[in-house]
Amino acid sequence: MAGPIPELEECATRCARRLAEADRVLLASHIDADGLTSAAIATQALERARIPFETVFEKQLDADAIAAIAATEYDTVLFTDFGSGQLDIISEYEADNAFTPVIADHHQPATIDDDGESVRVDTDYHLNPLLFGINGASELSGAGASYVLARALAAVADLPPDESIATDGGTTTAARADNRDLAALAVVGAVGDMQASGGELHGANAKIVAEGVDAGVLETGKDLALYGKQTRPLPKLLEYATDVHIPGISNDQNGALRFLDGLDLELKRDGEWRRWASLTNDEKQTVASALVRRAVSSGVPATKIDGLVSTAYVLPDEPVGTELRDASEFSTLLNATARYERADVGLGVCLGDRGEALERARKLLRDHRRNLSEGIDLVTQEGVTHEDHLQWFHAGDRIRETIVGIVAGMAMGNQGISRSKPIIAFADKDDEHVKVSARGTHSLVRNGLDLSVVVGEASRAVGGDGGGHDVAAGATVPKGDEDAFLERANAIVGEQLS
């Protein structure tokens, strides 16, 4: 059975065989949307292969977390959505026979200094797209790597479909037996990891999308590129549409209402505004065309107007009008559980709990949105400090360290906050450490920005550690060393963008 990504198949098979040989496995995963979907994919793959396992989540896979993992009695540890960047530490435990690591990740692998030369650390069971010429920031997420491993594990385990997996809904037994039904979760993870640049998933991600469509767990098509198409009332959908700013509609409650009232459509039912998902195709076309006309007449550049349309990724087995039907809204729901340290809730939703876990996740999402709004208001009102090559703010304890990066990214473009420089955000982590979150834009990345390098080098220069992706990265540094971190980071960004 051929895997979805030929370049990764040999490595994925080797990793899968190691898992299949294990008496039991400790599954350790990150807690954001990509990490939760990674864990959910791995969980179901291990269950179907009848491999006993236990799951743990870590907000950050630091030295203490790895030491705690090594202290368990598990001989095999599967790391999903992290592990590559911590191989310098993990490899030491592997050398001491504490455990054998199997890693399905997409972050930059760790390096060590060898006589002044930077040398990449590796291990025998390391599934990472970056090692095979595939971009881990834009072409394959952690959930995608976990999915590739799950497909290989199904082939290695070779379970008879009628014995292993029962079918329900529209998903075929065959799709479950070879784990193709897990493609939907991989897409949710990729979208949550902001890999749908230019409005759609590319590269290896697109191959996973194709498998999901073939398995009946995904539907795709061109649609309005606005967040909240399933759940937001139409006026709110348009008012909060700020990625493509349309004067008189975006950030304008009354303007959005006037725009809708001017359309010859029945956009209310029983006195309530309808959602985009409930409109007919003709009604959607009418609204979209009117939006484009307004944008053109308001002088919005054609390149921006093109951004009003993107590829939608729909989970057809989920009810219309719920956040679980749209990959973008699903990922936001998962991120809300992660940011408030309830990974168990997010995992439950991924695994199909539509009762208590889903209700708890929705409550966390409501709180999350309120906290984000308050955080963005705080940053916009107080402003940021501009250096030559970056901008920054320090939230102290006024914004949770688990959401300060999201706030920073969403605040870019607001008054006084530039989109032509990366933004660095600080927030208190504990009495001795500060969380650093860095966000850029895809335009800056195309010009040479790599925040993984910036944050990694600057944090290590002050006795901290960090990493991530070119467009988004994070670190932990000692409290009091923020100025030294900024000085180094500013210099590195200047070198990258010169």
Side-chain angles (χ1 to χ4, degrees):
M1 176 177 59
I5 317 298
E7 301 94 320
L8 304 182
E9 188 165 358
E10 181 179 346
C11 180
T13 300
R14 184 168 65 251
C15 293
R17 284 176 177 153
R18 181 62 185 83
L19 293 173
E21 292 168 359
D23 292 331
R24 57 180 185 157
V25 172
L26 179 63
L27 168 60
S29 194
H30 196 209
I31 63 168
D32 62 2
D34 195 23
L36 288 168
T37 48
S38 298
I41 290 166
T43 291
Q44 293 178 83
L46 291 168
E47 282 184 348
R48 294 172 182 183
R50 297 180 179 144
I51 301 172
F53 69 96
E54 178 185 351
T55 305
V56 295
F57 288 97
E58 297 291 347
K59 183 167 59 176
Q60 183 175 348
L61 190 64
D62 55 18
D64 290 341
I66 296 170
I69 288 171
T72 68
E73 296 181 357
Y74 284 90
D75 295 327
T76 304
V77 181
L78 171 58
F79 295 92
T80 58
D81 195 36
F82 54 23
S84 294
Q86 298 78 24
L87 260 173
D88 52 337
I89 303 173
I90 291 172
S91 61
E92 294 178 0
Y93 285 102
E94 181 182 19
D96 290 338
N97 295 317
F99 60 80
T100 297
V102 179
I103 298 173
D105 192 9
H106 67 132
H107 295 92
Q108 288 288 344
T111 59
I112 58 174
D113 185 272
D114 185 10
D115 291 332
E117 183 179 353
S118 183
V119 178
R120 177 178 287 165
V121 185
D122 210 349
T123 186
D124 289 339
Y125 308 105
H126 186 193
L127 182 63
N128 186 317
L130 291 165
L131 302 178
F132 301 91
I134 298 172
N135 193 319
S138 62
E139 294 186 275
L140 195 72
S141 69
S146 189
Y147 175 76
V148 172
L149 177 60
R151 293 277 279 113
L153 190 56
V156 168
D158 196 24
L159 296 180
D162 58 345
E163 288 184 19
S164 58
I165 312 298
T167 184
D168 60 14
T171 307
T172 66
T173 302
R176 289 178 177 269
D178 62 15
N179 288 333
R180 285 182 299 125
D181 64 306
L182 303 178
L185 286 173
V187 169
V188 171
V191 170
D193 207 53
M194 299 184 295
Q195 297 205 359
S197 60
E200 64 181 345
L201 294 171
H202 302 275
N205 281 323
K207 296 179 181 179
I208 296 175
V209 169
E211 289 207 340
V213 172
D214 184 60
V217 296
L218 272 177
E219 293 177 355
T220 67
K222 294 298 181 182
D223 204 346
L224 205 60
L226 303 182
Y227 176 83
K229 294 189 293 289
Q230 293 290 330
T231 59
R232 281 180 174 167
L234 284 169
K236 292 300 180 186
L237 178 75
L238 301 182
E239 178 189 347
Y240 295 151
T242 55
D243 285 347
V244 179
H245 185 85
I246 302 176
I249 296 177
S250 301
N251 289 326
D252 187 337
Q253 180 179 3
N254 291 330
L257 288 169
R258 287 193 298 270
F259 171 80
L260 291 170
D261 285 338
L263 302 178
D264 186 22
L265 294 174
E266 182 190 358
L267 298 180
K268 284 186 177 181
R269 291 273 169 85
D270 299 324
E272 298 289 333
W273 284 100
R274 295 165 65 190
R275 270 69 170 166
W276 181 263
S278 71
L279 301 183
T280 65
N281 288 335
D282 287 344
E283 289 172 330
K284 290 178 180 179
Q285 185 62 50
T286 298
V287 177
S289 297
L291 275 176
V292 170
R293 288 195 298 272
R294 172 64 70 85
V296 170
S297 66
S298 300
V300 177
T303 53
K304 289 284 188 181
I305 294 174
D306 289 342
L308 282 170
V309 177
S310 67
T311 299
Y313 300 97
V314 174
L315 283 66
D317 291 339
E318 300 295 344
V320 175
T322 69
E323 55 276 270
L324 302 180
R325 190 173 174 88
D326 177 84
S328 180
E329 294 191 61
F330 197 154
S331 68
T332 299
L333 183 76
L334 295 179
N335 268 324
T337 70
R339 304 299 172 179
Y340 302 93
E341 301 175 21
R342 289 305 306 271
D344 58 315
V345 173
L347 180 62
V349 173
C350 288
L351 296 178
D353 185 337
R354 298 297 178 261
E356 183 178 350
L358 180 56
E359 286 308 308
R360 180 60 181 161
R362 286 171 168 162
K363 171 64 166 58
L364 290 167
L365 178 58
R366 290 192 293 272
D367 294 342
H368 181 55
R369 284 173 171 161
R370 184 183 66 250
N371 291 336
L372 287 178
S373 177
E374 292 172 353
I376 293 167
D377 287 346
L378 174 68
V379 175
T380 303
Q381 290 166 10
E382 296 195 355
V384 299
T385 301
H386 286 269
E387 307 294 347
D388 290 340
H389 307 294
L390 57 78
Q391 57 197 327
W392 63 275
F393 67 90
H394 201 314
D397 62 359
R398 294 175 296 171
I399 300 177
R400 290 177 66 102
E401 52 103 358
T402 55
I403 68 170
V404 71
I406 303 175
V407 169
M410 295 178 72
M412 291 181 78
N414 285 7
Q415 184 175 2
I417 306 173
S418 175
R419 289 185 62 83
S420 62
K421 294 179 180 179
I423 186 169
I424 304 288
F426 297 101
D428 292 346
K429 186 180 180 71
D430 53 41
D431 291 339
E432 299 178 352
H433 300 93
V434 171
K435 171 68 180 292
V436 184
S437 291
R439 296 293 185 270
T441 65
H442 289 290
S443 175
L444 287 169
V445 169
R446 286 192 293 271
N447 288 330
L449 180 70
D450 188 342
L451 288 174
S452 175
V453 173
V454 174
V455 168
E457 291 188 8
S459 62
R460 286 188 286 274
V462 299
D465 197 20
H469 301 299
D470 49 15
V471 74
T476 299
V477 299
K479 187 171 288 188
D481 286 332
E482 293 94 328
D483 287 346
F485 172 91
L486 284 168
E487 183 178 358
R488 182 68 183 128
N490 187 55
I492 299 171
V493 173
E495 292 169 2
Q496 291 181 346
L497 297 179
S498 61

